[in-house]
Amino acid sequence: MRKKVIAGNWKMNKNPEESKNYLQEIIPLVKDVTSEVILCVPYIDLKCMVKHAKGSNIKIGAQNMHWEESGAYTGEVSGSMLKSIGVEYVIIGHSERRQYFAETDETVNKKIKAAFANELKPIVCVGESLEQREKGKTKEVITTQTRLALEGLTNEQVENTIIAYEPIWAIGTGKTATSEDANNSIKEIRDEICKIYGQMVAERVIIQYGGSVKPSNAKELFSTSDIDGALVGGASLKPEDFAAIVNY
Ligand code: 13P
């Protein structure tokens, strides 16, 4: 039985003061949940969040990292820097980063390897665009992205990778994939992992759904056979909404 892992992705929202207030509100609301609860926040909030989440069941993640350890990469942050301040998770290859910041399957793969080298747990995003979906290419797109993202990882690393299936057309649009559709795509990703890394790894890997997850649809999504939690954007910005999702 896989554990549910529910992560909030704040994207480019909230300053340290706001993030501290948020934590104070949400900690008591999620203290009894059995799921893993993660908040992935802007770089400037990380240190404050790690400090104020100590002793609670909330884990802190970043939203990106560079694959090199250090060097002349203006504006970038490395895995070892994240590790040094107590960050545990990192989102890699979010569709917004692929779309607006030229991330490729190759850089995604490098970043995942660098995350593991720094003992950070990667949350790797895959998902098709509306155009790809309408052309019937969903399965091909998501299985290819998954295969290339995980290339060269050990079985143990794959088992410890969280995959977030986020259809791009469902992100921030209010349109959620039906639970059946989302579950089917996630099964296709799991089957692809099974083909390459074997059944044991495939059965253990956590695969989340992301795209307009809210308190009203969380329970249905989480009742399916293969959806192991969610990566939540907009609805993670309000403590009461995110707590409601976590307490589905
Ligand atoms: P929304 O929940 O706002 O649709 O965003 C999903 C997402 O991109 C999470 O990473």
Side-chain angles (χ1 to χ4, degrees):
M1 189 61 181
R2 291 179 300 269
K3 190 175 178 175
K4 293 273 187 279
V5 179
I6 302 170
N9 173 12
W10 283 0
K11 309 192 178 181
M12 197 169 70
N13 291 287
K14 298 193 193 293
N15 63 33
E17 183 63 25
E18 291 164 332
S19 71
K20 186 178 147 197
N21 295 339
Y22 178 107
L23 263 185
Q24 280 169 350
E25 262 190 69
I26 200 166
I27 286 173
L29 303 178
V30 301
K31 66 176 183 357
D32 297 322
V33 300
T34 49
S35 314
E36 181 95 337
V37 185
I38 308 164
L39 284 168
C40 298
V41 304
Y43 288 136
I44 59 150
D45 298 332
L46 286 170
K47 206 168 174 185
C48 168
M49 292 288 278
V50 167
K51 179 175 164 202
H52 293 285
K54 261 209 185 97
S56 78
N57 54 347
I58 297 176
K59 306 281 195 321
I60 305 301
Q63 299 172 4
N64 180 36
M65 59 175 270
H66 198 274
W67 61 86
E68 292 290 350
E69 280 297 298
S70 62
Y73 301 99
T74 303
E76 292 292 322
V77 169
S78 73
S80 61
M81 290 171 173
L82 296 176
K83 186 69 188 173
S84 75
I85 58 165
V87 170
E88 292 183 62
Y89 290 86
V90 58
I91 297 175
I92 291 177
H94 191 281
S95 60
E96 286 149 15
R97 296 218 51 93
R98 294 181 192 249
Q99 195 178 346
Y100 307 132
F101 302 97
E103 294 231 357
T104 62
D105 290 322
E106 194 192 344
T107 60
V108 167
N109 178 254
K110 283 188 192 178
K111 289 180 180 196
I112 297 170
K113 287 176 178 159
F116 278 119
N118 287 290
E119 297 171 332
L120 295 164
K121 293 177 204 156
I123 301 174
V124 180
C125 303
V126 300
E128 80 287 1
S129 65
L130 185 59
E131 194 191 344
Q132 290 164 332
R133 185 178 188 83
E134 282 170 349
K135 285 187 178 150
K137 291 194 172 323
T138 299
K139 182 176 176 185
E140 183 191 327
V141 170
I142 61 179
T143 54
T144 304
Q145 284 179 339
T146 302
R147 183 165 40 78
L148 296 176
L150 302 178
E151 206 163 72
L153 297 188
T154 65
N155 281 19
E156 196 192 340
Q157 287 171 333
V158 174
E159 238 178 76
N160 286 299
T161 301
I162 297 171
I163 296 176
Y165 166 60
E166 298 205 308
I168 296 169
W169 49 270
I171 295 178
T173 56
K175 282 187 209 155
T176 323
T178 63
S179 54
E180 199 188 338
D181 257 2
N183 195 49
N184 278 342
S185 292
I186 286 177
K187 269 195 196 153
E188 287 167 353
I189 294 170
R190 206 178 293 288
D191 285 346
E192 183 71 12
I193 292 174
C194 183
K195 266 193 245 158
I196 308 169
Y197 301 95
Q199 193 173 351
M200 207 164 80
V201 174
E203 275 173 11
R204 288 186 179 165
V205 68
I206 299 286
I207 312 181
Q208 302 171 316
Y209 166 75
S212 299
V213 176
K214 41 193 179 241
S216 59
N217 59 22
K219 189 170 180 175
E220 191 188 330
L221 288 163
F222 299 162
S223 315
T224 54
S225 63
D226 280 68
I227 302 180
D228 301 324
L231 186 56
V232 186
S236 74
L237 293 173
K238 284 195 189 150
E240 63 275 22
D241 286 350
F242 191 54
I245 292 170
V246 169
N247 285 292
Y248 68 95

